[in-house]
Structure formats: structure tokens, C-alpha cells
Amino acid sequence: MAGVTNDFAPTTSGPGAGPLTVGFDLDMTLIDSRPGIKAVYDALVAETGVPIDTDLVVTRLGPPLDEELANWFPAEEIPAMGERYRALYPDHAIAPTPAMPGALDAVAAVRGAGGRPVVVTAKYGPNARMHLDHVGIDAEVRGWLWAEAKAEALVEWGASIYVGDHVGDVRGARKAGALSVAVATGPCDAGQLREAGADVVLDDLTQFPAWLASYRSAAA
């Protein structure tokens, strides 16, 4: 399959060994949150007068909110700015944010294989839930988990695969002992994702259903 790197050899510990649970990251994996997040930061600029480069902000989505706010506000203001950001978020970020190409079909492929899709994200959980409802993705969601901390939910849910766009997602999958499937749709390119240890690198989620079918067939 063009654009796919897969060095993983399926074994009996793969999806054929038990119920399939597939975890997905949210921002830049299932949804293109750049227009919505930019709108929230633009609202913060209007309220605070702080000259945040909102175009730059949306080129590096993935890490927790506080890490980005630290580039623009002094440490003592970050908790309050984080609360204000989350308060502004529902009215500014949900409507402008579409699903990524292939996202709905990728989730449907998991369900079609008799599996359960789950979402593990660094985003505030209630806001993540609103995004999923808006684009029509039905999945359990766990928020405020970043990088290796994502393993907490992945292990609890028994996820054997985790799909994400950031090297932090690769680290979370590896920490959980899950297969890391990376999509080069976020701030990290395919080379960075491979270097971080991704088992599979796809151009985007439009390639996921065919990859999943091939993977499950090889593991059967």
C-alpha cells in the first residue's frame, strides 16, 4: 500500500487473540482542530491583549494546553488562562472543526471488525466529547492524558492498537504495549514518527481500513 510503512509481524498476541480495542488520538488524528483552536486563541488575544501568534500555535498541536500557554503567559497566569481557554472553547472551537479525512471510516472499520474504538487525548475531556458528538463519532473518551500517560487508559481498556499523529502518541502506545499506528497528518512528519518507534506509518486515516483488514487477516 503506497505511503505505508509496516515493520510489524502479527503474532497470536495481536487482534486475533481477543476482543479488538483500538485507541485513537483526537487532535490532528480524528479531527482537524486547527481552525477551532486558532479561534479560541484569537479570542484570548482580544481579551488579554497578549500578542499570541495563533498561526504558529496551530502548527504544533499535541502537547498539553499549559505547555503552549507557557510560551505566551508568565507561570503564575497559566492556571487562570487555562481555565479561560476551556471556558471559551465550546463557543469558538467546536463548530469550525471538521473530522479528518477518513476518520469516520476508520472508526467504522474498527466496529465492522467487531471491535471497540476509544479516544485517548490530552484535551480536556468534556471538550473532546463535544468534538466527537459534532463530527458524529461514537466512542468512549478519556482526556487530559499526554504521551506516556496515555498508557493508563490504553491498558485499562485493553487497547491492542493506538493510532496517533504525534511522537507523544507513539510513546504512549509503546508504554502500553500496544501497536503504534501513526498518521502523518499532524506536526510530526513520517520520518519523525518512524524514528520515535512507530510500528506502522500511514499517510492519513483513509489508509487505515485497508491496513486494519490486512493486519487482521495476517494475524488470523
Side-chain angles (χ1 to χ4, degrees):
M1 186 186 304
V4 176
T5 299
N6 185 354
D7 298 323
F8 180 79
T11 69
T12 54
S13 63
L20 173 66
T21 298
V22 178
F24 291 90
D25 175 51
L26 185 62
D27 288 4
M28 303 312 298
T29 299
L30 289 176
I31 61 171
D32 184 352
S33 52
R34 290 172 296 184
I37 288 175
K38 185 180 188 306
V40 180
Y41 275 102
D42 285 340
L44 274 183
V45 171
E47 286 192 2
T48 66
V50 174
I52 300 170
D53 186 341
T54 60
D55 291 316
L56 175 61
V57 167
V58 297
T59 67
R60 53 192 186 197
L61 301 181
L65 171 64
D66 286 0
E67 292 187 19
E68 183 59 52
L69 291 174
N71 294 310
W72 311 104
F73 296 95
E76 65 272 15
E77 294 182 17
I78 290 173
M81 288 301 100
E83 287 300 315
R84 187 58 187 148
Y85 176 98
R86 286 185 284 274
L88 290 166
Y89 200 96
D91 289 337
H92 291 81
I94 305 302
T97 297
M100 292 292 284
L104 274 66
D105 288 341
V107 173
V110 174
R111 293 198 182 279
R116 175 177 62 150
V118 297
V119 175
V120 184
T121 174
K123 190 181 293 296
Y124 179 53
N127 288 343
R129 176 79 270 160
M130 283 189 284
H131 275 301
L132 294 174
D133 291 345
H134 176 70
V135 300
I137 292 176
D138 180 16
E140 297 175 79
V141 61
R142 183 76 61 82
W144 274 5
L145 295 175
W146 162 241
E148 288 84 354
K150 292 189 172 189
E152 173 188 323
L154 295 174
V155 170
E156 178 182 331
W157 279 330
S160 58
I161 299 169
Y162 185 59
V163 186
D165 66 280
H166 198 283
V167 295
D169 299 323
V170 176
R171 301 203 310 267
R174 296 179 69 84
K175 176 74 171 178
L179 183 72
S180 172
V181 177
V183 286
T185 51
C188 302
D189 63 29
Q192 291 171 306
L193 295 165
R194 293 187 192 100
E195 185 177 353
D199 298 296
V200 179
V201 179
L202 308 177
D203 290 338
D204 56 38
L205 284 179
T206 64
Q207 297 177 330
F208 181 82
W211 172 82
L212 181 64
S214 175
Y215 171 68
R216 286 181 57 78
S217 176

